[in-house]
Amino acid sequence: MELTPRLHTIAQQVPQGAVLADVGTDHALLPVWLLLEGRIPSAIASDLREGPLSRARETVEQHGVAERVSLRLCDGLSGIQAGEADVVSIAGMGGETIAAILEQAPWTRENTLLLLQPMTSFPDLRQWLQGNGYTVEQETICQEGSRMYTILTVRGGQDSPMTPAELWVGRNRPQPLRREYLSMMKGKVRRALEGQRASANPDQSTMEQLEEVLGGIEDMEKELKV
Ligand SMILES: C[S@@+](CC[C@H](N)C(=O)[O-])C[C@H]1O[C@@H](n2cnc3c(N)ncnc32)[C@H](O)[C@@H]1O
């Protein structure tokens, strides 16, 4: 079984011997790969919908790991109790959905490693984490085809406030692909700014915020060159 670069990058963050809960598992590729590699002893794989969960069932049965994967049909973490998993992964969903899932499961602030891979709403997710007793310990950037993704490694704890640019692109720690990621995100911010400028009713405060974010990202690019 091969994982895509995005799922492989998430898998690399799961500590040896941990029990994983993969929320929104769809095909259950991540937990099954980790089991087959001998990295985890067991897993919980959950999904909101019957269709994805039946795909997960097919994968676990096909690979002979059905006894070690508990499949759960539930919204977010509602069917998973505190203490059942050491690591919770929530990947391939919007940042607001990820925040809403964590909001319903405050136990994730205690003794739990969270691996979060948002598809959208990055600033909202980072802001929510910061305001709700979570700390982003690390961010890992990966590339799949022409798309770039970031995986947030998060635990309970108080983080220092992030600047507007950090809310958009994370803290500026040097790592492979960081420059490319900043350039891609700068394009996104520029497009949002152009959209505002072209609109019939541009929102002055949003434009000022976006300009501040753009300036912050440009400063980060300069820092990386030093
Ligand atoms: C794009 S797939 C991602 C699958 C896999 N996690 C990955 O990253 O490749 C998103 C999955 O999340 C599930 N999902 C969406 N909202 C959810 C929620 N609130 N609770 C649990 N699963 C959810 C969807 O049903 C879908 O199977």
Side-chain angles (χ1 to χ4, degrees):
M1 178 192 255
E2 286 271 314
L3 286 184
T4 60
R6 178 182 62 87
L7 289 176
H8 193 261
T9 306
I10 300 172
Q12 294 308 323
Q13 319 284 327
V14 178
Q16 179 74 38
V19 174
L20 172 75
D22 187 36
V23 175
T25 197
D26 197 352
H27 31 58
L29 293 176
L30 178 63
V32 171
W33 186 87
L34 286 161
L35 279 163
L36 295 177
E37 290 287 308
R39 300 270 288 273
I40 61 171
S42 63
I44 300 165
S46 76
D47 207 286
L48 180 62
R49 295 183 295 125
E50 190 57 69
L53 205 67
S54 61
R55 283 197 283 279
R57 191 170 297 112
E58 275 168 32
T59 311
V60 302
E61 284 171 3
Q62 186 189 341
H63 291 279
V65 292
E67 284 179 6
R68 292 193 285 150
V69 183
S70 170
L71 295 168
R72 307 209 185 154
L73 184 66
C74 59
D75 185 355
L77 285 154
S78 61
I80 301 167
Q81 308 302 314
E84 282 196 285
D86 310 301
V87 182
V88 171
S89 53
I90 314 179
M93 284 182 223
E96 282 159 355
T97 305
I98 294 176
I101 289 172
L102 295 176
E103 180 133 51
Q104 299 303 314
W107 57 263
T108 52
R109 279 195 286 263
E110 312 286 330
N111 304 320
T112 311
L113 174 66
L114 299 171
L115 301 173
L116 311 177
Q117 185 265 302
M119 300 298 288
T120 57
S121 307
F122 314 99
D124 308 80
L125 178 61
R126 290 192 185 92
Q127 180 101 65
W128 186 89
L129 291 167
Q130 189 177 280
N132 286 274
Y134 294 90
T135 182
V136 180
E137 291 187 339
Q138 186 185 316
E139 297 208 18
T140 313
I141 300 161
C142 66
Q143 184 160 22
E144 199 168 293
S146 61
R147 292 200 69 163
M148 299 185 99
Y149 301 93
T150 185
I151 291 117
L152 283 65
T153 306
V154 174
R155 283 186 188 274
Q158 202 48 58
D159 214 348
S160 54
M162 290 192 197
T163 65
E166 285 172 339
L167 289 173
W168 272 74
V169 298
R171 295 194 198 278
N172 204 27
R173 300 174 180 124
Q175 64 165 300
L177 296 174
R178 179 71 183 167
R179 276 166 209 259
E180 292 84 346
Y181 184 74
L182 290 181
S183 165
M184 184 270 290
M185 290 300 286
K186 205 165 69 170
K188 257 185 207 249
V189 179
R190 277 207 178 113
R191 283 191 293 281
L193 202 47
E194 279 156 18
Q196 279 293 326
R197 286 188 184 127
S199 105
N201 290 313
D203 183 284
Q204 199 54 39
S205 131
T206 304
M207 282 173 52
E208 281 168 16
Q209 277 173 30
L210 290 170
E211 270 158 11
E212 192 179 349
V213 170
L214 200 53
I217 297 177
E218 282 163 357
D219 290 343
M220 288 184 187
E221 287 179 315
K222 285 180 207 141
E223 268 170 37
L224 286 182
K225 282 191 187 138
V226 177

